Each structure stands twice: as structure tokens, then as C-alpha cells.
Amino acid sequence: MARRWINDLTRNDITPYPAYLNRRQLIAGMAGGAGAAALGSIAGPAHAETLEPNSWDDITSYNNFYEFGTGKSDPKEYAHLMSTSPWSVEIDGLVDRPGTYSFDDIMSNMTIEERIYRFRCVEAWSMIIPWNGFELSDLLAMAGVQDGARYVAFQTLYRPDEMPGTRYPVLDWPYVEGLRMDEAMNPLTIMATGIYGKPIPNQNGAPLRLVVPWKYGYKSIKSIVKISLVADEPPTSWNEANPREYGFYSNVNPNVSHPRWSQASERVIGGGLFAKREPTLMFNGYEKEVASMYEGMDLEKYH
Ligand code: MTE
């Protein structure tokens, strides 16, 4: 499938990773042998030339995945308990072809490519991550979006036996998220299946997680088992838990503070003990690509 953009980042911009030499093979493997590993490398043009991904270690050992506990190292410690094979995603609601899609089926129909994106958590830390994945719009097209669909609702696996963190009512399990249809169809929005050319580790949301680079990280719902196309704005876990602090939109915005902290700057993970803080960019640096979707909207009210 023809990709829509050419990118100003080259492979040389990526931090070397030992297994990186094998990545063509790895990615071809991930694509279920479909040979669909057409690799394009895409990042938001804003500051793209300076994007240098974090290390594998940063990305896979400093995580939020509350189903395994609320500590940053809990996901790495416990996420291996989650079984991800076989895996399937139920797609239902306002679609022409509702049903249960196996992960392998999905992979053999999608084109896997690489996207190097900024990743900004609402807790004011950030990383730069080399994802592998496909555009969400391609998956939705596979199911056939019907006219009345205005939002997309997502749900994470909920398997208490394999998820020790779900014993605690930190959130109302299962974890759920949502996007407006135009956000879901935006070419920046991907379903990630890999990091650094390797299958996505459990702690990062194996085998399939959402990535919406201009929104706070909690929108990037992990280990997705269900996608529903709906007419009305769906509930989202963090908004249900605390609507004042976490809105439905959750667009990265340095000018709208979290009620308990400023969002004007962020701690860059991987910078060592004296990690520098950097100014947070409007829409996380993807303003040119996404601002038009919110024209005329009060971004404080619809935070
Ligand atoms: N998805 C699920 N199911 N459970 C979670 O706790 N945490 C979110 C998001 N997706 C979370 C989730 C938050 S707050 C962030 S910042 C990112 O995942 C973290 O992604 P990472 O661990 O890959 O950096």
C-alpha cells in the first residue's frame, strides 16, 4: 500500500541497538511471513531532525501498565504473566464486517512500518520511541466503517489471574479508551506491534497497542482485545476515575496545566541523574498535522 508521506529522518538518525542489524528479518517475521515489511520511517516534521530514540532499556523498564501494578518497574516484573498467544481483537459496532479478528490475520493484511515518535506522559515525562506498526485507519478499513460511526472505543485485556495489579481498584477494569473518528483516521495514529524492530514487549502492551503521538500517553491503550465503532463519545478509564484531571481529548498542551502540576515542561527520560527538562511542545510537536482538527474548540474546556 502506498504510504502517504516521505520523511526527513533517515535510518542513520536511530540509536544503534545490537539486535538492530537483524531488524529486516525480525519485522518480516512479525508480519506473519506475509513479506509485508515495507519500511518507511516517519516522524512529525517538527524537530524531526533532532529526534533520537531512547534506549531499549529506558523504553521497556520504565512503564505504566496499571494492570500489573502502579510502580514504574512493576510492568517489567509482572507482565510476562500475561499470555499473548493466541490473540484476537473483536471489532464490533458500526462496521460492515464485525467479528473476531485473529492477530495473525490482522498482521497478514497490514503493512508494518516504522514511526519514530515523541511520547509524552501526562505525568510530565517523555521519551522518543521507534515504533513499528500500521495505521489504525487501515485496520478500520478492514472492518468497514459505517456512516454513523463517530467515535472509536478500545478495551484492554482483563485477565485477573495474569494481571496482579487488577486486584486493586485503582481504575475500573478493564482499561478503556476512545478517540473521535477523525483522530482515529489521522495518519499519525498507529497500532503498534513492535519497538526497535522487535515484537512489542508485554510491558509495553503486546501484541497490539494504540499510539497517538499528539496526546498524553494514557490514550495509548495497551494489549487491545476489543474495538467498537460507536455513535457517542465512549467512556475512558482516566476520565471516569477523575474527570477534572483527565479529559477525553488529552491533547498535549503546555498552556493547560494539570490541576496538580504544570504541563509547560517535561523530564526527558534517559538523560541520567540530572536529566534536563525540556519545554513541552503544543500537540507534542505535531501541531502542523493535527491542529486543524481542533479549530475553534476551547482546548481548556475540552482538555
Ligand atoms: N494501557 C493500559 N491498559 N493500562 C495502563 O495502565 N497506562 C497508560 C498507557 N496505556 C496504561 C495503558 C499510560 S499512563 C502511559 S504513560 C502509557 O501507557 C505508557 O506506555 P509505556 O509503558 O509503553 O511507556
Side-chain angles (χ1 to χ4, degrees):
M1 179 176 307
R3 302 329 292 178
R4 275 159 273 210
W5 308 319
I6 305 166
N7 172 29
D8 46 359
L9 273 175
T10 70
R11 304 291 219 87
N12 299 333
D13 294 310
I14 297 169
T15 304
Y17 175 72
Y20 210 52
L21 295 171
N22 291 328
R23 62 199 285 280
R24 266 187 184 283
Q25 253 166 298
L26 286 162
I27 292 171
M30 284 163 52
L39 292 174
S41 185
I42 297 183
H47 306 273
E49 64 288 351
T50 64
L51 284 186
E52 192 177 314
N54 280 79
S55 69
W56 172 262
D57 242 25
D58 289 337
I59 297 171
T60 60
S61 52
Y62 187 94
N63 299 101
N64 279 336
F65 199 162
Y66 279 18
E67 285 85 337
F68 298 101
T70 55
K72 293 287 179 269
S73 56
D74 288 339
K76 184 175 182 177
E77 188 167 349
Y78 299 113
H80 69 274
L81 299 170
M82 173 173 69
S83 145
T84 59
S85 178
W87 193 271
S88 58
V89 181
E90 189 186 340
I91 305 184
D92 70 4
L94 301 166
V95 288
D96 296 332
R97 292 172 288 281
T100 302
Y101 291 78
S102 80
F103 181 69
D104 294 344
D105 258 8
I106 293 174
M107 291 302 271
S108 60
N109 280 288
M110 297 291 123
T111 302
I112 301 297
E113 56 182 289
E114 180 175 80
R115 302 278 178 105
I116 302 168
Y117 281 161
R118 304 167 182 291
F119 185 84
R120 170 63 157 81
C121 180
V122 72
E123 297 162 344
W125 54 263
S126 69
M127 293 195 208
I128 292 171
I129 305 185
W131 302 104
N132 308 94
F134 53 84
E135 292 185 10
L136 174 61
S137 64
D138 290 342
L139 179 63
L140 298 183
M142 194 172 154
V145 179
Q146 294 184 347
D147 277 353
R150 292 174 55 234
Y151 293 88
V152 185
F154 304 86
Q155 189 176 308
T156 293
L157 176 76
Y158 175 56
R159 209 179 273 156
D161 288 355
E162 300 175 9
M163 298 175 142
T166 59
R167 264 181 265 144
Y168 308 96
V170 196
L171 292 170
D172 192 9
W173 316 109
Y175 196 103
V176 290
E177 255 307 335
L179 292 174
R180 214 171 59 187
M181 189 54 74
D182 56 343
E183 300 175 323
M185 300 305 274
N186 189 287
L188 286 176
T189 303
I190 60 166
M191 296 292 273
T193 55
I195 290 174
Y196 266 109
K198 293 164 59 110
I200 200 162
N202 279 12
Q203 60 266 37
N204 293 86
L208 204 58
R209 64 91 62 88
L210 182 69
V211 177
V212 194
W214 71 95
K215 292 180 179 283
Y216 291 118
Y218 61 86
K219 297 297 279 188
S220 307
I221 179 172
K222 297 180 168 181
S223 304
I224 294 167
V225 291
K226 188 169 180 197
I227 298 177
S228 307
L229 285 276
V230 295
D232 300 317
E233 188 181 290
T236 66
S237 288
W238 283 100
N239 180 250
E240 296 256 289
N242 192 335
R244 201 173 75 89
E245 299 195 356
Y246 308 103
F248 175 81
Y249 283 92
S250 315
N251 292 319
V252 174
N253 188 337
N255 310 315
V256 176
S257 297
H258 184 279
R260 291 182 280 132
W261 58 82
S262 161
Q263 294 291 23
S265 69
E266 61 205 51
R267 189 164 55 89
V268 179
I269 301 296
L273 193 56
F274 302 104
K276 56 183 169 138
R277 289 190 80 86
E278 283 190 355
T280 290
L281 302 170
M282 187 64 200
F283 294 115
N284 205 22
Y286 301 96
E287 188 167 12
K288 203 162 73 138
E289 291 84 359
V290 304
S292 62
M293 289 192 288
Y294 309 104
E295 239 163 47
M297 250 173 83
D298 177 346
L299 296 180
E300 194 137 357
K301 183 172 173 206
Y302 297 100
H303 64 92

